[in-house]
Amino acid sequence: MKKPLILALGVTAFSLLSFNAYAETPEEKGLAIAKEADARDNGWGDTTANMKMVLVNKQGETSEREIRTKTLEIMGDGDKGLTIFDKPRDIRGTAFLTFSHVTGADDQWLYLPALKRVKRISSRNKSGPFMGSEFAYEDMSSQEVDKYTYKYLKDEACPGDASLTCFVSERYPVDEFSGYTKQVGWVDQTHYRPMKIDFYDRKGSLLKTLTLSDYNQYLDKYWRAHTMEMVNHLTGKKSILTWSNYQFKTGLTDSDFNKSQLKRLR
């Protein structure tokens, strides 16, 4: 029951006491940080938002896509997500549906209007690029605590805001088909928001870096980054996501996330 790549709110005395009392090893502390961030983002129900995706190639040339997103929080399991492309015209109507799970492989389907068919994304292929971007299919799922093991590394100034202090931890995917061997994340100690994530490929080399910024708080509790920039260090390309018009508790239900309806979404 989590949202993609983001997490939440202000530090409490209880959480600090918990770390001191129980998180004795780097692995325990890393897990405790992940659980605390997860716990602070429960209860938002459902969201809708608009997103602009800008693809930048090595020469600096850009192309833009306009997208709508819908997300449904599922108690006891991962979230359900629906992404619908409105522009440019040649990919209008493309739809991507994800059923994330707390453990095990997620279910993902992609509808391509040009082919007029729904394609299931195999768990073996989830490391592939999502719609030509620097994000992988597995980056588009909700981030569940049990899908990783953890190791706390250190505290240091947060990237992009030196006035904040971040926990720096590694996490290792449990899924053997993940495209990553590990991720290194910076999470701010005040609000438990991810500020930066380094992704390492199957050879152990730094592959990509995701930077999250322009956070806004909703419903006096839930933080959402309005800008996400993923840089691919191997290709020199990057993808920039800009979010707007966040709406919470809109009344979405399971019926809004139906594979059989992907062909009719506009």
Side-chain angles (χ1 to χ4, degrees):
M1 47 190 172
K2 258 342 18 40
K3 61 189 184 305
L5 293 171
I6 320 300
L7 314 171
L9 259 185
V11 141
T12 66
F14 175 77
S15 65
L16 292 175
L17 289 171
S18 296
F19 292 145
N20 291 333
Y22 302 113
E24 297 177 339
T25 70
E27 290 77 13
E28 289 170 336
K29 184 166 182 175
L31 176 60
I33 293 167
K35 286 184 173 179
E36 180 68 17
D38 183 81
R40 292 174 182 228
D41 196 57
N42 285 335
W44 45 268
D46 67 83
T47 66
T48 63
N50 297 332
M51 179 173 70
K52 178 181 289 186
M53 174 187 284
V54 179
L55 309 181
V56 185
N57 67 18
K58 190 174 181 178
Q59 290 70 40
E61 299 167 331
T62 64
S63 58
E64 294 187 5
R65 299 169 177 189
E66 294 186 10
I67 298 165
R68 288 171 286 145
T69 68
K70 300 178 180 180
T71 310
L72 180 66
E73 185 180 30
I74 304 296
M75 302 305 293
D77 201 359
D79 301 336
K80 294 183 177 182
L82 179 61
T83 303
I84 306 165
F85 287 75
D86 291 327
K87 293 181 180 178
R89 186 174 180 178
D90 61 338
I91 59 171
R92 182 173 182 268
T94 297
F96 177 64
L97 179 64
T98 294
F99 292 177
S100 301
H101 301 296
V102 172
T103 59
D106 298 328
D107 296 306
Q108 295 181 317
W109 300 270
L110 180 67
Y111 173 66
L112 298 169
L115 302 179
K116 297 183 178 179
R117 70 181 181 91
V118 176
K119 173 186 177 184
R120 184 181 181 90
I121 306 300
S122 165
S123 61
R124 291 177 178 270
N125 295 326
K126 67 180 185 178
S127 61
F130 173 67
M131 293 297 290
S133 75
E134 301 313 308
F135 290 86
Y137 286 104
E138 66 180 291
D139 300 333
M140 307 304 291
S141 296
S142 62
Q143 303 295 295
E144 304 298 331
V145 172
D146 291 342
K147 287 186 172 181
Y148 302 89
T149 59
Y150 300 85
K151 182 181 180 181
Y152 163 79
L153 298 178
K154 59 185 177 181
D155 295 346
E156 69 176 26
C158 291
D161 189 347
S163 67
L164 297 174
T165 302
C166 274
F167 298 115
V168 184
S169 301
E170 291 180 344
R171 64 179 187 179
Y172 314 96
V174 174
D175 190 338
E176 63 178 316
F177 298 121
S178 173
Y180 311 120
T181 52
K182 71 175 180 181
Q183 300 172 16
V184 180
W186 283 254
V187 175
D188 88 80
Q189 297 183 5
T190 303
H191 300 299
Y192 283 77
R193 303 169 302 188
M195 308 295 283
K196 174 183 168 183
I197 303 173
D198 283 338
F199 297 81
Y200 289 78
D201 65 16
R202 290 171 176 166
K203 297 179 180 178
S205 300
L206 178 61
L207 174 62
K208 301 185 295 188
T209 296
L210 175 66
T211 304
L212 305 97
S213 59
D214 300 328
Y215 273 96
N216 284 346
Q217 189 180 37
Y218 295 90
L219 305 182
D220 296 323
K221 182 175 181 181
Y222 306 110
W223 291 94
R224 296 293 183 269
H226 283 228
T227 303
M228 301 179 184
E229 180 175 300
M230 183 75 91
V231 176
N232 188 317
H233 299 291
L234 297 185
T235 65
K237 298 179 180 177
K238 63 182 178 182
S239 299
I240 304 169
L241 308 182
T242 305
W243 299 79
S244 62
N245 194 30
Y246 263 113
Q247 303 290 326
F248 285 74
K249 300 185 183 299
T250 65
L252 296 175
T253 67
D254 277 331
S255 63
D256 294 296
F257 300 83
N258 191 324
K259 183 182 66 172
S260 64
Q261 296 180 353
L262 291 179
K263 296 180 180 180
R264 298 190 292 273
L265 293 173
R266 289 289 179 179

